[in-house]
Amino acid sequence: MSYNKNVFMTQFPIAKKILYHLSYYRALHNAYQKHDLQCEFWTHTIDAHLLQASILWCMIFGSDGCNPTHWKNLISNQSDELKRSFRDGLLGSTKINWKHWGKYHKEMVDFRNNFAAHRKLKYKKPIPNFDMALKVVHYYDHWIRKVIAPDVMEEPLLVKKSAPKLKAMEPLIDSLIKNTKAYYKNA
């Protein structure tokens, strides 16, 4: 398949940012809970990472009609083959069926459309489970490397990059949250 390099060069960094924002969200949220902190700054910072992850996720996996960075826009010709390869691999990789994918996809797009990027006044749905979003990005990373072949990326798989990144930042984040709690306690 011949792919659009401009779409790829924009799309892949977005996928990386999804993982980074989810990693930051999880590390911050865990430390915040662990230290039982009540701080508006950290609450907004933590929320911002999750909201940004949902917005970015929808740029690649959300609505395809208006978004030039959607995965379907990687190839204009042979798009049926591309769609089939992505969908079949996604369902196998994430261990879900098409109905579950449709439901999850709708939850993510609704969350982005009605809460993260725009705000419905009475949006009361729960936050989607981002474990699946993470699995989708990891699948995309494997899939995209096949799509761009024979071109290759020197970069390691994102799954190998995100776990160590999260581990490395945990002590820093823990220290920041702990110091914030001590600051408010002494103020």
Side-chain angles (χ1 to χ4, degrees):
M1 285 187 229
S2 176
Y3 68 99
N4 183 324
K5 288 183 169 82
N6 290 329
V7 172
F8 168 73
M9 295 298 286
T10 304
Q11 192 180 77
F12 189 78
I14 292 171
K16 282 175 42 174
K17 286 180 182 179
I18 296 166
L19 293 181
Y20 292 155
H21 282 289
L22 281 176
S23 296
Y24 301 153
Y25 165 78
R26 288 177 172 180
L28 285 164
H29 185 265
N30 289 342
Y32 190 83
Q33 298 284 5
K34 174 181 157 188
H35 293 290
D36 194 30
L37 182 61
Q38 300 296 312
C39 173
E40 193 172 4
F41 169 79
W42 285 116
T43 301
H44 291 302
T45 301
I46 293 165
D47 288 352
H49 284 294
L50 189 67
L51 297 174
Q52 185 64 18
S54 73
I55 292 167
L56 293 169
W57 190 91
C58 286
M59 287 180 182
I60 299 175
F61 308 107
S63 302
D64 61 339
C66 60
N67 202 336
T69 57
H70 193 275
W71 65 266
K72 289 180 188 173
N73 294 325
L74 204 56
I75 297 176
S76 55
N77 60 351
Q78 302 168 320
S79 64
D80 287 342
E81 182 183 339
L82 179 80
K83 289 176 193 175
R84 191 171 28 264
S85 78
F86 182 83
R87 290 175 176 160
D88 291 348
L90 176 70
L91 299 180
S93 174
T94 58
K95 309 281 190 268
I96 61 171
N97 59 37
W98 191 243
K99 183 180 176 183
H100 185 217
W101 167 251
K103 182 178 181 262
Y104 183 75
H105 183 268
K106 183 175 178 356
E107 286 174 12
M108 286 295 286
V109 172
D110 285 351
F111 180 71
R112 181 249 176 232
N113 289 347
N114 298 309
F115 191 78
H118 309 285
R119 193 58 58 107
K120 260 195 178 171
L121 294 178
K122 294 186 180 187
Y123 186 77
K124 300 286 187 205
K125 293 181 181 178
I127 294 171
N129 182 331
F130 278 79
D131 290 344
M132 181 58 69
L134 197 58
K135 288 178 184 178
V136 172
V137 173
H138 288 155
Y139 166 71
Y140 162 85
D141 186 26
H142 286 279
W143 173 80
I144 196 71
R145 292 167 193 265
K146 293 175 189 167
V147 170
I148 68 168
D151 294 343
V152 294
M153 287 190 284
E154 298 297 321
E155 186 163 340
L157 287 169
L158 295 176
V159 69
K160 292 182 179 177
K161 203 173 183 180
S162 60
K165 185 176 248 344
L166 179 58
K167 232 4 170 188
M169 78 176 90
E170 284 175 348
L172 170 63
I173 288 172
D174 192 66
S175 175
L176 291 169
I177 298 290
K178 193 186 309 181
N179 287 337
T180 302
K181 186 170 183 173
Y183 172 81
Y184 281 113
K185 189 177 184 178
N186 297 327

